[in-house]
Amino acid sequence: MDTANVIDIATLALGLAAKLAAPLLITALVVGFTVSLLQSVTQIQEITLSFVPKAIGVAVAIVLCGSWMISELVVTTHELFDRIPGLLGG
């Protein structure tokens, strides 16, 4: 296994991690920004007011995107398993 294969697998793993984390992070960002804007307009500074909506938003994002995330993981795992003979030189 040469360095090109290692770099290719590492790039694949980092791309997959970014692709799987994006829906959750974007949801938390949008909900957090909305709640922060609401807090600054109403001047209500409550910690749970910012945490609970983000937790609910991320949970909804997991429910909505969960099957897609699992299928992406399965496809990538199958792709890596298919590469094993070529990586071992056979």
Side-chain angles (χ1 to χ4, degrees), residues 22-85:
L24 305 178
L25 293 176
I26 291 171
T27 302
L29 177 72
V30 168
V31 171
F33 179 75
T34 305
V35 170
S36 295
L37 190 63
L38 178 70
Q39 281 182 327
S40 64
V41 167
T42 60
Q43 294 184 357
I44 298 173
Q45 298 300 322
E46 179 66 32
I47 298 298
T48 56
L49 187 61
S50 64
F51 175 73
V52 173
K54 276 195 269 188
I56 292 171
V58 169
V60 168
I62 289 173
V63 168
L64 294 177
C65 298
S67 62
W68 169 77
M69 294 166 79
I70 290 175
S71 67
E72 286 291 320
L73 279 171
V74 168
V75 167
T76 305
T77 303
H78 283 294
E79 182 181 331
L80 285 174
F81 282 161
D82 290 341
R83 286 188 187 185
I84 288 175

